Amino acid sequence: MKFLLSATAILMLAGVAGCAGNTVQSKPQAAAQAAQPAALPMQKQFFLPEKLYAVPGIECNIYFRNIFLAVNPGNYVFDVNCKVGRNDLKRWRFTPAAADAGKTYPLSIKIYDKNGLAAEGQTTVHVASADAGKGKDVSILVVGDSLTNATVYPTRLHTLCKQDGNPKLTMIGSHRGSGRQPEPGGVAHEGYGGWTWNSFMTRFQDESAIKDPTPVKKFYAKSKFLTKKDGKVVFDLAQYLKKYNNGKTPDVITFQLGVNDVFSADEAGLPKRIQTILANADKLIAAFRKEAPNALIGIGYVTPGANQDAFGSNYKCGQTAWGYYRNHFRLNQAMAKHFAKYNDPKLVMIPSNVGLDTENNFPFKKEPVNSQNKTVVSRQSNGVHPAPTGYNQIGDTYFAWLKNQLAAPVKK
């Protein structure tokens, strides 16, 4: 039942509201607010990068688990609307043909639960031509953590670029995994297990103080981008490039970092941890940009992990698959907003988080069901490091990203 109030009554209510520290909305304000659609119940759990990249002959994927923060994604329906590709149970997949080259395809996803629409979002799929960047001399410096140190996705990128119709890729780096010396014209990078955004700006240990005789430990002692000048440790990209690239500035610099930064955060401390991570990322990117003003900089989103069997195998009770999944997801959302504010047209995000099959492309090991049942089953055995097949998917994403950037170079 509705009641009509007099003007005096309305004023009295306004006065009461004013005593409570509130204000009464005007009729136009209230009507405008009422016209706003209700927020979707799970919208904050959705994250899809603004742009995806593809190239003819290479499969492009969106794995639904990777874009929606849910304990059990199987409880939801994922409805993809796109002119191209195929909507499967757990992913959208698309392998462009030659006719798709140079085209862009809007893609939207609606997510439903038993109560109806829970979240939705959109992106655009950009398809480069198969010969984008053909014959161009392109140098690239790949910076990262253990995912880069494994050397599989950099190798995949290098291998794809060696095929006809691709740029002549020169990889810059001090090693090709675990301190192994690069081969001329081969794979090279700056990837170090356990390192963070901050490590490359601060890690400068005295090698003589390292008691561990393992050569890798000494190799990891110092960031190759740091040196001492007048008794102070400083970032010096020029000295690094003089040693590893004949003094030439790279055309492309990529960063695949964040796993170690955010891994151990608990839910209460996650917002503050993310602030720290982004501040450290700003410092490292600024240091590179200062000395490489014209380089294309790519920042990879943090990759998702495997299931709880893998986390139990690696971390006992130290971290859960859900805890890491929540952490990396929230960091990716924050990265998207943060780097979108950069006034730098040559800083482009790499959607390395969406195309990784966390169910099938992580390592497995065989073991008995339990001590009383010797039936052998396969369980995932590594929480954050993919199998070669998963790393190759990351490499495919990097390749498609690079091809698209070469197809449409940013004006200086």
Side-chain angles (χ1 to χ4, degrees):
M1 181 179 296
K2 295 183 178 179
F3 295 92
L4 296 177
L5 298 178
S6 67
T8 303
I10 292 173
L11 289 174
M12 289 176 64
L13 286 175
V16 171
C19 290
N22 298 319
T23 58
V24 174
Q25 292 178 318
S26 67
K27 288 183 179 180
Q29 286 177 321
Q33 189 177 66
Q36 295 296 320
L40 295 174
M42 298 288 285
Q43 190 61 39
K44 291 183 179 179
Q45 310 302 85
F46 183 94
F47 174 65
L48 185 61
E50 182 182 357
K51 295 180 180 180
L52 300 182
Y53 303 100
V55 68
I58 302 291
E59 186 179 73
C60 175
N61 294 291
I62 300 174
Y63 286 92
F64 301 141
R65 176 182 182 264
N66 300 2
I67 64 168
F68 188 60
L69 185 62
V71 173
N72 186 0
N75 289 336
Y76 297 84
V77 173
F78 294 82
D79 181 7
V80 181
N81 182 16
C82 188
K83 184 179 179 180
V84 297
R86 169 175 162 173
N87 191 163
D88 291 342
L89 176 65
K90 297 182 179 181
R91 64 170 174 163
W92 170 83
R93 54 172 154 153
F94 171 46
T95 303
D100 296 305
K103 297 180 179 179
T104 58
Y105 297 106
L107 181 150
S108 63
I109 300 179
K110 292 186 176 181
I111 303 172
Y112 296 90
D113 61 14
K114 63 182 181 180
N115 298 314
L117 184 63
E120 62 182 341
Q122 53 278 323
T123 185
T124 305
V125 182
H126 298 256
V127 185
S129 63
D131 63 353
K134 180 180 179 179
K136 290 184 179 179
D137 292 316
V138 177
S139 59
I140 186 169
L141 171 58
V142 179
V143 180
D145 49 35
S146 57
L147 273 69
T148 302
N149 180 60
T151 315
V152 183
Y153 86 79
T155 298
R156 174 68 173 169
L157 174 62
H158 185 263
T159 299
L160 288 171
C161 285
K162 289 178 69 176
Q163 298 176 1
D164 292 339
N166 289 298
K168 298 178 181 177
L169 193 68
T170 299
M171 303 194 81
I172 304 166
S174 62
H175 70 122
R176 56 184 175 92
S178 300
R180 295 175 297 160
Q181 290 298 308
E183 297 176 355
V187 177
H189 56 72
E190 291 300 326
Y192 299 85
W195 283 32
T196 64
W197 283 99
N198 191 46
S199 299
F200 291 94
M201 293 288 290
T202 60
R203 189 152 180 151
F204 202 79
Q205 294 177 282
D206 182 358
E207 295 177 4
S208 63
I210 298 176
K211 298 179 180 180
D212 192 320
T214 309
V216 174
K217 295 293 183 180
K218 293 185 181 294
F219 185 79
Y220 276 33
K222 298 178 180 179
S223 166
K224 303 298 183 292
F225 305 120
L226 300 179
T227 189
K228 263 192 174 181
K229 287 185 177 180
D230 300 325
K232 294 183 178 180
V233 177
V234 296
F235 185 92
D236 190 348
L237 183 60
Q239 61 85 22
Y240 171 88
L241 293 173
K242 184 177 181 181
K243 184 174 182 179
Y244 296 108
N245 197 42
N246 297 317
K248 298 178 181 178
T249 304
D251 300 305
V252 183
I253 303 168
T254 65
F255 298 97
Q256 188 64 51
L257 291 162
V259 172
N260 301 302
D261 302 73
V262 81
F263 183 89
S264 63
D266 58 23
E267 190 166 9
L270 184 57
K272 186 175 181 180
R273 177 74 65 87
I274 288 175
Q275 288 181 355
T276 300
I277 294 168
L278 294 177
N280 289 332
D282 285 344
K283 292 176 184 177
L284 185 61
I285 293 167
F288 273 92
R289 177 55 82 211
K290 182 179 179 180
E291 298 194 47
N294 296 316
L296 170 67
I297 293 179
I299 302 175
Y301 284 112
V302 186
T303 52
N307 67 22
Q308 186 55 43
D309 282 335
F311 274 74
S313 176
N314 294 160
Y315 311 111
K316 309 306 180 192
C317 298
Q319 178 57 292
T320 63
W322 170 252
Y324 171 71
Y325 190 82
R326 175 200 63 219
N327 291 356
H328 104 283
F329 194 93
R330 294 303 186 202
L331 176 55
N332 281 339
Q333 289 178 311
M335 287 172 63
K337 291 180 180 179
H338 182 76
F339 292 119
K341 298 175 183 177
Y342 267 47
N343 185 25
D344 188 346
K346 284 195 170 186
L347 188 147
V348 185
M349 303 304 293
I350 305 172
S352 45
N353 59 315
V354 300
L356 176 59
D357 186 345
T358 61
E359 182 177 350
N360 301 294
N361 288 355
F362 271 69
F364 285 80
K365 68 178 180 181
K366 294 182 178 181
E367 61 183 21
V369 173
N370 54 58
S371 63
Q372 298 300 327
N373 187 333
K374 302 305 178 184
T375 303
V376 175
V377 296
S378 291
R379 293 190 173 110
Q380 287 191 331
S381 58
N382 199 299
V384 298
H385 303 96
T389 49
Y391 278 123
N392 283 339
Q393 287 182 309
I394 298 173
D396 288 347
T397 300
Y398 267 68
F399 177 69
W401 173 85
L402 180 61
K403 293 280 283 185
N404 274 270
Q405 306 315 308
L406 295 174
V410 178
K411 294 182 180 180
K412 295 183 180 179

